[in-house]
Amino acid sequence: MITIYFMLDKLEQYLSFQKIAMNTFRIRQEILAANIANADTPKYQSRDINFEKILQKADKSKENRNSFSVNLNLTSKNHLNKKNEQYFSENLLYRIPDQPSADQNTVDMDRERINFLENSIKYHTSITITNEYIKNMTSVVYKG
């Protein structure tokens, strides 16, 4: 009985961390999509998040994993949905352009497309790994 409790506790900790990672991937995808959508908007400032910093913060708050959240600083209440506010604050950053444009737009479409694709691959990989982890844990519980 103690072994099953230990495995389920380990599963809960792993899933809690993966939930934060997958939510971060999802929100980053929305931010990157907004950058791509505003590629021709004058004075639009490309945004991104510091993914590693968010995960480090989540990892350091092991005792509060279920209540982990940060707030998003918005320049306009219409930029992102209110439900997304809980995930990001100081981690939402302006991207520094390689080549400034005449209209002061900082979106680099090549970089945005690469980041969008890379983030999508990481998100789907995280889902696949999590599903395999759950299958392995449940097979151990049923065989034990």
Side-chain angles (χ1 to χ4, degrees):
M1 187 68 159
I2 294 173
T3 305
I4 292 174
Y5 176 75
F6 174 74
M7 287 189 308
L8 292 177
D9 185 48
K10 191 174 181 181
L11 178 65
E12 189 276 327
Q13 288 178 357
Y14 177 80
L15 293 178
S16 178
F17 185 79
Q18 286 301 317
K19 177 183 172 186
I20 293 167
M22 284 189 264
N23 278 332
T24 305
F25 286 131
R26 181 183 57 81
I27 299 300
R28 183 169 189 234
Q29 203 73 350
E30 291 178 16
I31 293 167
L32 295 172
N35 289 344
I36 292 169
N38 287 291
D40 295 326
T41 305
K43 298 184 181 182
Y44 181 81
Q45 301 294 302
S46 182
R47 304 296 301 260
D48 204 351
I49 57 169
N50 189 335
F51 184 81
E52 291 79 17
K53 189 174 180 180
I54 291 172
L55 289 186
Q56 286 173 357
K57 186 174 181 180
D59 195 36
K60 287 180 183 176
S61 63
K62 288 180 182 178
E63 64 279 356
N64 296 325
R65 277 214 173 137
N66 292 332
S67 62
F68 172 77
S69 66
V70 292
N71 294 318
L72 176 65
N73 293 328
L74 300 174
T75 56
S76 169
K77 62 183 174 183
N78 298 323
H79 284 171
L80 295 171
N81 297 334
K82 289 288 185 184
K83 68 181 179 178
N84 297 335
E85 289 184 44
Q86 64 181 333
Y87 298 108
F88 306 98
S89 63
E90 71 276 356
N91 300 310
L92 187 61
L93 308 168
Y94 289 104
R95 185 166 295 136
I96 299 170
D98 293 327
Q99 290 184 324
S101 65
D103 65 357
Q104 298 174 352
N105 183 306
T106 62
V107 176
D108 178 353
M109 284 300 291
D110 292 333
R111 179 177 293 188
E112 299 299 335
R113 286 184 190 123
I114 289 169
N115 287 338
F116 191 87
L117 179 61
E118 177 187 35
N119 190 68
S120 179
I121 291 169
K122 287 180 180 179
Y123 177 77
H124 289 289
T125 302
S126 182
I127 291 172
T128 302
I129 291 170
T130 301
N131 285 338
E132 289 301 316
Y133 187 84
I134 292 170
K135 284 179 189 176
N136 289 340
M137 290 296 281
T138 55
S139 71
V140 167
V141 170
Y142 287 129
K143 289 179 183 178

